[in-house]
């Protein structure tokens, strides 16, 4: 959320700092420097008074243990907050957010993403994993811009290359399109590739085959506030293509607008 919008929201929620003045531009001015942590404090106290105190028994139970139904993998983009757009409450979802909401395959080694997955699946026994992509994803744009034969020192590029299979499939399917539509296609294709990558972890694949765990994709378009949801049909994901990569099918597609 842009800084001026953050301040505006916090003021309306907590009636904080009446001395704040907004210019028509993109800055917020106060008599002194903007106190972002002061605004954050007011948001926390509002949460405590309006939520925590009123649901004290629930939060005390959460203090002892958690049993979320969902593991959510979303982008680190500040405009994509799963708890905000999908209404997840404390205790509902175990979450990890990274650049471009990618799930690396198991063969790529340990990352914070698969560490979180292991905890969610083997310890918490979540019943659903939801990978959420979104519109105008800078991480996907970086992936689509990478030159395959060039080594990069960028941490961003070294991370988003985990989506190289999605990029290849996008290029093959959208060669007739311009760069923008190609990126939009890849934003969804990378979600499906991440769902396939989840099946490369034996402890995920086992629970999926036993129907104890379902893998879902989602796509949030914040330009028109719409959301697409679908489920990976694991029974259709056992065939490998010419490059040895699994193909996929999806089911239960829904469009929320």
């Amino acid at each position: 959320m842009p800084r001026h919008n953050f301040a505006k929201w916090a003021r309306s929620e907590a009636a904080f700092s009446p001395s704040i003045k907004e210019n028509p531009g993109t800055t917020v001015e106060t008599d002194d420097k903007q106190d972002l942590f002061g605004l954050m404090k007011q948001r926390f106290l509002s949460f405590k008074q309006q939520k925590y105190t009123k649901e004290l028994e629930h939060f005390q139970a959460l203090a002892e243990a958690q049993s979320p139904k969902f593991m959510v993998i979303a982008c680190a983009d500040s405009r994509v907050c799963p708890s905000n757009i999908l209404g997840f409450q404390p205790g509902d979802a175990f979450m990890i957010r990274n650049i471009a909401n990618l799930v690396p395959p198991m063969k790529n080694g340990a990352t914070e993403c698969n560490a979180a997955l292991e905890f969610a699946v083997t310890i918490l026994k979540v019943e659903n994993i939801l990978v959420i992509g979104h519109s105008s994803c800078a991480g996907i744009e970086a992936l689509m811009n990478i030159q395959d034969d060039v080594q990069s020192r960028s941490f961003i590029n070294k991370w988003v290359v985990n989506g190289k299979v999605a990029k290849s499939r996008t290029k093959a399917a959208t060669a007739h399109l311009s760069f923008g539509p190609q990126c939009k296609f890849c934003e969804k294709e990378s979600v499906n590739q991440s769902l396939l990558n989840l099946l490369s972890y034996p402890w995920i694949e086992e629970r999926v085959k036993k129907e104890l765990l379902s893998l879902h994709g989602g796509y949030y378009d914040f330009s028109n506030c719409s959301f697409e949801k679908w489920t990976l049909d694991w029974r259709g994901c056992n065939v490998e293509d010419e490059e040895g990569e699994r193909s996929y099918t999806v089911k239960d597609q829904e469009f929320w607008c």
Side-chain angles (χ1 to χ4, degrees):
M1 180 183 293
R3 182 173 174 176
H4 67 293
N5 288 342
F6 172 81
K8 183 178 180 181
W9 183 90
R11 277 208 321 284
S12 65
E13 287 291 305
F16 177 71
S17 188
S19 63
I20 294 178
K21 300 175 183 178
E22 290 194 1
N23 289 333
T26 59
T27 62
V28 174
E29 295 181 357
T30 63
D31 294 339
D32 300 309
K33 289 184 178 180
Q34 178 66 40
D35 184 0
L36 293 179
F37 282 99
L39 296 173
M40 194 179 296
K41 173 184 176 181
Q42 295 303 313
R43 292 178 65 184
F44 169 73
L45 294 177
S46 177
F47 160 76
K48 183 175 182 179
Q49 295 166 5
Q50 302 299 321
K51 188 78 175 177
Y52 182 91
T53 302
K54 293 180 179 180
E55 300 177 23
L56 185 59
E57 185 176 344
H58 171 65
F59 282 100
Q60 287 178 334
L62 284 178
E64 299 298 323
Q66 59 173 322
S67 55
K69 299 295 185 184
F70 278 87
M71 166 71 179
V72 174
I73 301 165
C75 186
D77 193 301
S78 64
R79 299 165 291 183
V80 185
C81 179
S83 294
N84 191 286
I85 63 174
L86 297 178
F88 287 114
Q89 299 300 306
D92 286 350
F94 193 75
M95 294 192 189
I96 187 166
R97 298 177 67 178
N98 62 47
I99 298 296
N101 43 270
L102 296 172
V103 178
M106 184 173 179
K107 66 182 180 181
N108 286 20
T111 66
E112 61 177 315
C113 183
N114 48 37
L117 280 166
E118 183 178 10
F119 186 82
V121 174
T122 66
I123 305 299
L124 297 178
K125 310 292 186 185
V126 296
E127 299 173 6
N128 302 276
I129 299 177
L130 173 62
V131 181
I132 304 173
H134 69 92
S135 58
S136 303
C137 181
I140 294 298
E141 183 176 343
L143 170 65
M144 294 294 291
N145 270 316
I146 291 176
Q147 297 181 29
D148 296 333
D149 57 347
V150 176
Q151 292 293 323
S152 173
R153 294 184 179 181
S154 166
F155 291 124
I156 296 172
N157 288 356
K158 288 181 178 180
W159 169 253
V160 298
V161 76
N162 283 300
K164 64 181 180 180
V165 174
K167 175 184 176 180
S168 296
R169 289 181 169 176
T170 296
K171 291 288 189 180
T174 64
H176 60 292
L177 298 179
S178 61
F179 184 73
Q182 285 185 340
C183 287
K184 188 174 183 65
F185 185 97
C186 192
E187 287 164 356
K188 297 180 182 181
E189 185 64 30
S190 68
V191 171
N192 287 321
Q193 186 58 46
S194 285
L195 295 179
L196 282 177
N197 287 346
L198 287 170
L199 292 175
S200 70
Y201 297 89
W203 28 272
I204 290 180
E205 186 175 36
E206 178 184 9
R207 290 184 66 81
V208 168
K209 288 184 175 181
K210 290 181 178 179
E211 299 187 347
L212 299 173
L213 176 64
S214 297
L215 308 180
H216 311 279
Y219 182 81
Y220 173 49
D221 189 333
F222 48 68
S223 66
N224 61 11
C225 196
S226 63
F227 193 90
E228 295 178 57
K229 172 267 174 191
W230 60 92
T231 299
L232 187 72
D233 184 357
W234 65 270
R235 291 182 178 86
C237 299
N238 296 321
V239 179
E240 295 186 348
D241 62 22
E242 295 178 355
E243 298 180 353
E245 299 292 342
R246 282 178 163 177
S247 59
Y248 63 85
T249 57
V250 300
K251 61 182 181 179
D252 301 332
Q253 293 176 273
E254 297 180 26
F255 186 78
W256 307 335
C257 61

